[in-house]
Amino acid sequence: MRVVIAEDSVLLREGLVRLLGDGGIETVAAVGDGPGLVEAVRAHRPDLAVVDVRMPPSHTDEGLRAALEARSVLPRLPVLVLSQYVEERYAAELIGRNAAAVGYLLKERVADVTEFLETVRRVADGGTVIDPEVVIQLLSRRGGHEPLDSLTARESEVLALMAEGRSNNAIAVRLGISDGAVEKHISGIFGKLGLDPAPDDHRRVLAVLAYLRRV
């Protein structure tokens, strides 16, 4: 796998390069701003871009905008966004454009090397991974807006793990419940969100987007 990194902090940027390298993942370019990301993507055609949301000069959404531009240069480019804080609007904007091959992860998750590398590979393979803390905070801010407040506590936990890209079996292990119970909770989530079966829709992704798009 070949990766481009866009991160303005030199320490974190170099740390990511080393961490990915130790996991057998090659970093073909590591840059510190948005234009550098776009140029690196154009030059190297990577398998994945790892991008900080806030970069120079204004440290607001330069990274996000650069990621969207990079995807226009290389359509279907997998993008893993790293953020210091839960910034739902940015997550919703990126994921809302194209849910495939997109990740939104808090930087603190990088400390768990195994989990971080799993996320990198999952996004590069076309998966969608949303930090569970984003989902949890969205859930806590949605009181009074049906059907968002209709999920049970357990369904909310299951949805958060779905956002991480976890399989039914992985969710069952994490929560200490049976696979059948997980399937029942997921079915309940789909039903409450009005997500009927459709051949061209990925309901797991749509369930998470139902929250992110109501920021």
Side-chain angles (χ1 to χ4, degrees):
M1 186 192 308
R2 301 166 65 254
V3 174
V4 166
I5 298 172
E7 165 62 57
D8 66 306
S9 168
V10 176
L11 288 177
L12 181 54
R13 187 167 68 238
E14 294 305 314
L16 286 170
V17 171
R18 182 168 181 175
L19 188 156
L20 292 171
D22 289 345
I25 299 171
E26 179 187 5
T27 299
V28 294
V31 302
D33 56 32
L37 168 66
V38 177
E39 287 305 312
V41 167
R42 182 176 287 112
H44 297 284
R45 319 290 287 186
D47 301 305
L48 173 75
V50 179
V51 185
D52 184 15
V53 169
R54 298 184 177 188
M55 291 195 292
S58 70
H59 293 279
T60 54
D61 63 350
E62 282 86 357
L64 172 70
R65 288 189 280 110
L68 294 172
E69 185 177 350
R71 273 197 146 186
S72 69
V73 171
L74 185 60
R76 300 184 182 87
L77 169 70
V79 175
L80 174 58
V81 172
L82 299 180
S83 179
Q84 188 70 39
Y85 311 102
V86 176
E87 299 172 289
E88 301 101 319
R89 179 171 62 86
Y90 297 149
E93 184 171 352
L94 179 65
I95 297 168
R97 298 291 184 90
N98 185 345
V102 172
Y104 186 95
L105 203 65
L106 294 182
K107 288 183 177 180
E108 64 189 50
R109 306 291 180 190
V110 178
D112 187 329
V113 175
T114 300
E115 181 177 349
F116 176 68
L117 291 176
E118 286 179 358
T119 296
V120 167
R121 294 188 176 96
R122 195 175 299 133
V123 173
D125 287 340
T128 301
V129 179
I130 303 169
D131 197 294
E133 186 63 28
V134 175
V135 179
I136 290 169
Q137 289 203 25
L138 286 171
L139 287 169
S140 69
R141 297 175 187 179
R142 295 297 185 267
H145 296 283
E146 291 285 356
L148 298 177
D149 64 343
S150 63
L151 299 186
T152 65
R154 180 62 86 185
E155 287 170 344
S156 297
E157 291 178 315
V158 170
L159 178 56
L161 292 170
M162 288 167 59
E164 289 186 75
R166 304 292 177 183
S167 67
N168 286 10
N169 180 254
I171 293 172
V173 171
R174 179 72 66 88
L175 297 180
I177 59 180
S178 68
D179 287 354
V182 173
E183 292 176 3
K184 180 178 179 180
H185 291 310
I186 292 176
S187 178
I189 292 169
F190 291 159
K192 291 175 182 178
L193 295 181
L195 297 174
D196 297 324
D200 297 325
D201 290 339
H202 195 316
R203 290 194 294 171
R204 295 176 81 93
V205 173
L206 293 176
V208 176
L209 291 179
Y211 292 93
L212 294 178
R213 286 171 173 164
R214 293 175 184 265
V215 174

